[in-house]
Amino acid sequence: MTGMSTPLAGYLLVAALLFAIGLGGALVRRNAILVLIGIELMLNAANLNLIAFWRYGPHPEALTGMMFAIFSIAVAAAEAAVGLGLVIAIYRHTNTAELDKIDRMKG
Amino acid sequence: MSPIFYLLAALTLAGGLAAVLLKHLVHSALAVTVAFAGLALLFLQLDAQFAGFAQILVYIGAVAILIVFAILLTHGSELPKGGVFSHTWFLGLVIAAGVFAVLGWAVLASVSAVPQSNIVPSVTVHDIGIALVGRYVLPLEIVALLLTAATIGAVIVAMHEKERAR
């Protein structure tokens, strides 16, 4: 495969595949927690892209890509805490975490 | 490409795939932990030691535990009657495959344009600390505020109307 000859392309392909797996998981599963796991996988795939571009870019000493990834990890942690808190709150109200049963706003 | 890269990539992707496909949510949480660990090792492979250890601390140490707690609090360990996949699963699969096709095509079509400089960066934690309190001090403060607000908000949302719950 020609794309795998450069290391960066290999990392980008792995990140793309991981992003697709996360997106698929968020779209096909019924449980809200699994959707959040899918979103975490997508965020992680983006972080892998940032780190890979930082490593093989022309100026790794500028630290830009790695800083972006570190801040992205912190924001993802905040997102996970709020998201899982919301899932627990919804479960308290509706007694289910299955997303297709939470259809109160359906006209 | 080193064989270690292929090994770590296979571990990460297998973990992610298992997390999405396994029926029991607890198994999914364990599988996604494997994926997080594989990603941390990939970060170490990319000479980003600080990001790799931050990944281990934040994801394996905190997010995985949070997910397990949420599964137990929502009785997610019981299998639902209507199956674990939504009835629109085929559409979701098509969308995910389409996104991967576009991303993969974009990567493979621009192989000649991607940077390939192989300077091994020698970044110490000291450099990262100096950068964090120097050039990146404003983002650092904003992230600190965001984390505080998110922690308080998550607690308030999860505790909401406890006495009125039926």
Side-chain angles (χ1 to χ4, degrees):
Chain A
M1 201 164 162
T2 52
M4 298 304 255
S5 54
T6 62
L8 178 57
Y11 282 102
L12 294 183
L13 280 180
V14 169
L17 198 49
L18 194 66
F19 185 90
I21 289 173
L23 181 65
L27 288 177
V28 306
R29 294 293 292 245
R30 289 173 67 213
N31 195 288
I33 294 171
L34 232 305
V35 173
L36 277 171
I37 287 178
I39 292 171
E40 291 296 330
L41 283 177
M42 287 192 271
L43 279 165
N44 270 298
N47 285 348
L48 183 59
N49 267 355
L50 293 172
I51 299 265
F53 270 113
W54 165 76
R55 170 64 176 79
Y56 293 106
H59 297 292
E61 72 282 353
L63 282 176
T64 321
M66 188 146 88
M67 283 300 166
F68 208 141
I70 289 168
F71 285 123
S72 162
I73 288 174
V75 172
E79 176 263 340
V82 175
L84 292 169
L86 281 173
V87 172
I88 292 170
I90 290 173
Y91 181 79
R92 282 231 174 87
H93 278 276
T94 62
N95 264 320
T96 181
E98 308 290 318
L99 287 175
D100 45 7
K101 287 186 190 144
I102 306 165
D103 53 0
R104 267 197 225 165
M105 284 175 74
K106 209 171 182 177
Chain B
M1 299 305 291
S2 65
I4 298 173
F5 165 75
Y6 289 111
L7 210 64
L8 293 178
L11 179 79
T12 309
L13 294 175
L17 211 55
V20 167
L21 292 179
L22 284 176
K23 278 198 170 73
H24 280 277
L25 275 179
V26 181
H27 297 173
S28 288
L30 288 175
V32 86
T33 313
V34 172
F36 290 157
L39 272 162
L41 294 173
L42 278 175
F43 287 179
L44 295 181
Q45 181 75 3
L46 281 167
D47 300 302
Q49 282 87 0
F50 187 79
F53 289 124
Q55 170 89 3
I56 290 176
L57 273 179
V58 173
Y59 276 98
I60 302 173
V63 173
I65 304 294
L66 262 179
I67 290 173
V68 170
F69 265 107
I71 290 170
L72 298 180
L73 284 173
T74 58
H75 296 274
S77 49
E78 297 154 15
L79 275 183
K81 288 179 206 75
V84 290
F85 298 109
S86 71
H87 57 276
T88 55
W89 62 272
F90 187 72
L91 191 63
L93 213 61
V94 168
I95 293 173
V99 167
F100 174 65
V102 171
L103 288 177
W105 169 77
V107 171
L108 290 180
S110 57
V111 162
S112 54
V114 295
Q116 297 190 43
S117 70
N118 218 347
I119 329 153
V120 176
S122 61
V123 174
T124 60
V125 179
H126 181 255
D127 296 335
I128 295 170
I130 294 291
L132 271 179
V133 294
R135 191 175 166 203
Y136 298 100
V137 69
L138 193 62
L140 182 74
E141 296 295 328
I142 294 172
V143 161
L145 192 68
L146 174 78
L147 277 176
T148 314
T151 316
I152 297 171
V155 170
I156 289 174
V157 164
M159 297 272 285
H160 191 56
E161 291 181 309
K162 200 179 175 187
E163 65 278 4
R164 277 209 279 145
R166 279 151 286 171

